[in-house]
Amino acid sequence: QVQLVESGGGLVQAGGSLRLSCVASGRAFSEYAMGWFRQPPGKLREFVAAINWNGVNTHYSDSVKGRFTISRDNAENTVYLQMNSLKPEDTAVYFCAADRVVTTTPDYWGQGTQVTVSS
């Protein structure tokens, strides 16, 4: 079992930045690939970014590539999502997720944190 708690969401103007954090507890953090997903208002949840267990490999959706950066600190059991050049369409609840491998259907999920980008 892995427990995930996100933080760092909030309200920001278009063009601004936010950094989301997700702290994991339970099983050894370094055994898991980590991902960020989001669910915009009235839409389905979608993949944003993922990182493998040691941080060497990262993956991004086309909509955030070049603006968002995923990273992890295994010593702190934390994964981050640095979000720059935010757009109103980035408004969503952002979820942290974990699984043994990088996947779009991870087993473990956090409760989510709201990000709102005003125009």
Side-chain angles (χ1 to χ4, degrees), residues 2 14 24-25 27 29 34 39 73 77 87-88 91 94 104-106:
V2 177
S25 60
R27 296 293 300 272
F29 179 69
M34 302 297 297
Q39 186 164 15
D73 183 341
N77 287 2
K87 305 174 181 179
T91 294
Y94 282 72
T104 56
T105 56

Side-chain angles (χ1 to χ4, degrees), residues 8-83:
L11 174 64
V12 64
Q13 288 189 330
S17 298
L18 280 176
R19 188 176 80 156
L20 305 183
S21 300
C22 172
V23 179
S25 60
R27 296 293 300 272
F29 179 69
S30 61
E31 294 179 4
Y32 289 85
M34 302 297 297
W36 287 97
F37 294 73
R38 67 186 182 187
Q39 186 164 15
K43 296 184 179 181
L44 297 175
R45 190 158 52 190
E46 62 187 28
F47 169 77
V48 175
I51 189 167
N52 75 325
W53 70 274
N54 63 3
V56 171
N57 296 315
T58 57
H59 309 268
Y60 298 93
S61 69
D62 288 343
S63 61
V64 307
K65 198 172 296 182
R67 299 188 298 122
F68 291 11
T69 303
I70 188 171
S71 61
R72 67 189 296 161
D73 183 341
N74 286 349
E76 297 293 329
N77 287 2
T78 303
V79 62
Y80 303 98
L81 186 68
Q82 177 66 42
M83 305 186 294

